Amino acid sequence: MTPRSPGPSCRRAVTPGQSSWMRFFSLFCPSIQADVILLVTCSIREKAEQAIWNRLRHLSALKARRQQQAGSPLRIGILGCMAERLKEEILHREKLVDIVAGPDAYRDLPRLLAVAESGQQAANVLLSLDETYADILPVQTSAGGTTAFVSIMRGCDNMCSYCIVPFTRGRERSRPIASILQEVRMLSDQGVKEVTLLGQNVNSFRDMSEVQFQSAAAPGLSRGFSTVYRAKPGGLRFAHLLDQVSRIDPEMRIRFTSPHPKDFPDEVLQLIQERHNICKQLHLPAQSGSTRVLEAMRRGYTREAYLELVHHVRDSIPGVSLSSDFIAGFCGETEEDHQQTVSLLQDVRYNVGFLFAYSMRETRAFHRLQDDVPAEVKQRRLQELIAVFREEAARANEAMVGQCQLVLVEGPSKRSALELCGRNDGNIKVIFPDAEVEDAAGCQALARAQPGDYVLVKVTSASSQTLRGVPLRRTTLSRSAACH
């Protein structure tokens, strides 16, 4: 397997301007001992795929050099969504890749490697209707880590016209709740203090593994929202899972991503408000502020329905932090459509945003719409959206100056060894001095906070991405909740 990234001591030897992959090869390839290199890939945007093609060009030289020097072959595999989408091209382009495995074929890797050892190319890109890897618990490679991610479902049925996920990850299927709870308990025992539940459409979770719940009624959609598929009755839903996960460890924060705005029934919002360890932070992907563009995207809602949901969320969860996704320059987007997205950013005032220029993939839009917004216009609109988002996020974050925020310490700040970095309940980065602070219970001597500690921080300044403050005391999640 490839090392993840060079350590701090290695980075000092890197020439400015080198890409991260060039850094990897300049520092590690002369002494690499691996017999197999597997690249896990993404196909959401064209840039992600291009990065893999660039890496393969560098690996080609490494593979040839390895053959000359050691005589033993280096096997290279492409895994994940790019393998699913571009199997034939990957296998035939320069004949460099030995193994191609789609996201549902990881159990088949031993067989694929055995085939590759015989000198043949091996591939499996079959999509499954039931594979969730529920019985395979991930190995935590970072001892003492404070945060972890738990996959709860795979695939997506929404079929948004711009999105490639249904074609590379397949239909929605959810892990049994019992296996998820087992993994979260394991993480709690390891000292993890924050778990994020993951899924392509995480809040449409539907566990059908228990027979007695297979005839349960389907929960209602958010008001004004619709789907391209019929309601799916039966199964244990996301509200039940969230309830059970939040009960495991009162000192463990719970987050989830990425949801679809249509799947926020009142019982989920009420649970978030009631449980002190479920973060008051929601990701509400809007994608556009124009109803016309949203219809072309097949999102299943209008601008007005989305804004009504935002108001309902804020009424249900006072002080909630909101984040969103936006696409600039989707097919047919006019300047008027773009300005409606600008005004949505201004109206909602998100704390966190993920904004991208549209990248055409082989989706429904590829076959039925025209990618008619010029690249330079996409980039100009993207920069305008980013500027507006930052301006509004700075205002939202400045409202927290003078307030106390509970921060989960992650470790030293990247910019200064004299400061610590962590995140508040709203998932906003908080920087504060690494100073000795007292314990909230008053029964311990002054001590510096460690990764995994909760620290109450008074915010003194804010930007669009970061809060800064002074530490007041170490505390616990439960004790902090009791004080409010």
Side-chain angles (χ1 to χ4, degrees), residues 4 138-145 147 187 190:
R4 292 197 175 190
V139 176
Q140 298 296 317
T141 56
S142 55
T147 62
L187 293 169
Q190 293 173 357

Side-chain angles (χ1 to χ4, degrees), residues 49-115:
E49 289 185 355
Q50 190 55 51
I52 294 298
W53 289 122
N54 293 339
R55 294 180 184 190
L56 286 174
R57 280 198 294 270
H58 293 295
L59 281 172
S60 178
L62 174 63
K63 190 172 185 177
R65 186 163 60 248
R66 174 71 169 273
Q67 185 70 38
Q68 295 172 355
Q69 296 176 352
S72 60
L74 172 65
R75 305 298 181 192
I76 297 172
I78 299 294
L79 277 56
C81 293
M82 184 174 171
E84 186 70 41
R85 196 179 86 81
L86 298 174
K87 169 192 168 185
E88 297 297 331
E89 184 175 356
I90 291 170
L91 288 174
H92 297 133
R93 191 163 162 175
E94 301 177 12
K95 301 289 185 181
L96 171 66
V97 174
D98 304 286
I99 301 157
V100 173
D104 291 346
Y106 299 154
R107 293 180 194 270
D108 199 30
L109 280 173
R111 183 189 68 82
L112 297 174
L113 285 165
V115 171

Side-chain angles (χ1 to χ4, degrees), residues 342-418:
V342 169
S343 70
L344 185 69
L345 284 165
Q346 293 169 332
D347 290 346
V348 177
R349 189 170 288 179
Y350 300 95
N351 298 88
V352 178
F354 304 91
L355 303 93
F356 304 95
Y358 177 61
S359 172
M360 176 69 88
R361 323 301 293 133
E362 291 187 26
T363 62
R364 183 184 178 90
F366 178 84
H367 297 288
R368 304 198 179 196
L369 301 175
Q370 184 177 354
D371 187 13
D372 54 359
V373 180
E376 62 272 17
V377 175
K378 289 180 182 178
Q379 288 302 317
R380 189 257 301 166
R381 291 178 183 172
L382 174 62
Q383 294 308 313
E384 289 177 4
L385 293 181
I386 291 173
V388 172
F389 158 72
R390 287 179 174 168
E391 181 180 345
E392 297 300 329
R395 289 175 179 164
N397 291 344
E398 283 165 4
M400 289 183 249
V401 173
Q403 296 180 4
C404 292
Q405 297 288 315
L406 184 65
V407 178
L408 175 60
V409 180
E410 296 177 351
S413 167
K414 292 181 179 179
R415 296 190 177 184
S416 172
L418 301 177

Side-chain angles (χ1 to χ4, degrees), residues 138-196:
V139 176
Q140 298 296 317
T141 56
S142 55
T146 61
T147 62
F149 297 91
V150 174
S151 177
I152 68 168
M153 56 90 69
R154 298 171 69 81
C156 183
D157 291 346
N158 289 320
M159 298 299 293
C160 300
S161 64
Y162 57 83
C163 186
I164 202 168
V165 167
F167 304 96
T168 59
R169 288 295 183 107
R171 301 295 295 273
E172 286 180 9
R173 62 269 191 205
S174 301
R175 283 176 64 181
I177 283 182
S179 73
I180 298 170
L181 299 181
Q182 177 189 2
E183 185 172 344
V184 175
R185 289 190 191 100
M186 179 189 74
L187 293 169
S188 175
D189 291 342
Q190 293 173 357
V192 169
K193 291 296 183 68
E194 180 178 291
V195 161
T196 301

Side-chain angles (χ1 to χ4, degrees), residues 103-364:
D104 291 346
Y106 299 154
R107 293 180 194 270
D108 199 30
L109 280 173
R111 183 189 68 82
L112 297 174
L113 285 165
V115 171
E117 283 299 314
S118 70
Q120 304 177 64
Q121 289 181 310
N124 182 348
V125 292
L126 294 175
L127 287 174
S128 168
L129 291 175
D130 53 20
E131 179 63 87
T132 62
Y133 300 107
D135 58 332
I136 301 177
L137 294 179
V139 176
Q140 298 296 317
T141 56
S142 55
T146 61
T147 62
F149 297 91
V150 174
S151 177
I152 68 168
M153 56 90 69
R154 298 171 69 81
C156 183
D157 291 346
N158 289 320
M159 298 299 293
C160 300
S161 64
Y162 57 83
C163 186
I164 202 168
V165 167
F167 304 96
T168 59
R169 288 295 183 107
R171 301 295 295 273
E172 286 180 9
R173 62 269 191 205
S174 301
R175 283 176 64 181
I177 283 182
S179 73
I180 298 170
L181 299 181
Q182 177 189 2
E183 185 172 344
V184 175
R185 289 190 191 100
M186 179 189 74
L187 293 169
S188 175
D189 291 342
Q190 293 173 357
V192 169
K193 291 296 183 68
E194 180 178 291
V195 161
T196 301
L197 306 177
L198 292 180
Q200 272 79 30
N201 189 20
V202 67
N203 54 342
S204 68
F205 178 86
R206 177 171 166 256
D207 173 16
M208 295 291 288
S209 65
E210 298 190 36
V211 176
Q212 66 269 35
F213 296 106
Q214 290 184 359
S215 60
L221 298 177
S222 302
R223 189 169 165 182
F225 287 67
S226 62
T227 67
V228 297
Y229 55 83
R230 294 179 180 176
K232 304 172 188 175
L236 292 170
R237 300 295 179 145
F238 186 65
H240 182 84
L241 172 66
L242 197 58
D243 170 56
Q244 294 298 304
V245 169
S246 67
R247 293 176 185 273
I248 289 175
D249 184 348
E251 290 302 312
M252 175 188 279
R253 276 179 172 171
I254 308 299
R255 301 187 191 275
F256 57 90
T257 201
S258 179
H260 190 288
K262 68 179 172 57
D263 294 312
F264 276 109
D266 284 347
E267 53 262 42
V268 169
L269 300 179
Q270 183 178 350
L271 191 63
I272 295 171
Q273 166 59 19
E274 291 176 352
R275 296 289 163 84
H276 73 275
N277 62 336
I278 302 179
C279 292
K280 310 303 181 280
Q281 175 250 326
L282 290 182
H283 188 59
L284 296 179
Q287 307 302 352
S288 174
S290 162
T291 294
R292 194 184 69 82
V293 173
L294 289 170
E295 183 177 359
M297 290 178 166
R298 302 182 88 208
R299 288 292 288 170
Y301 53 87
T302 63
R303 172 194 177 95
E304 291 73 24
Y306 180 87
L307 281 171
E308 183 178 344
L309 174 63
V310 169
H311 296 147
H312 182 54
V313 165
R314 284 182 163 154
D315 288 341
S316 303
I317 312 171
V320 67
S321 172
L322 297 181
S323 59
S324 192
D325 299 333
F326 286 94
I327 297 172
F330 184 67
C331 305
E333 183 187 73
T334 65
E335 281 300 318
E336 182 181 354
D337 295 323
H338 169 62
Q339 289 304 319
Q340 289 183 42
T341 301
V342 169
S343 70
L344 185 69
L345 284 165
Q346 293 169 332
D347 290 346
V348 177
R349 189 170 288 179
Y350 300 95
N351 298 88
V352 178
F354 304 91
L355 303 93
F356 304 95
Y358 177 61
S359 172
M360 176 69 88
R361 323 301 293 133
E362 291 187 26
T363 62
R364 183 184 178 90

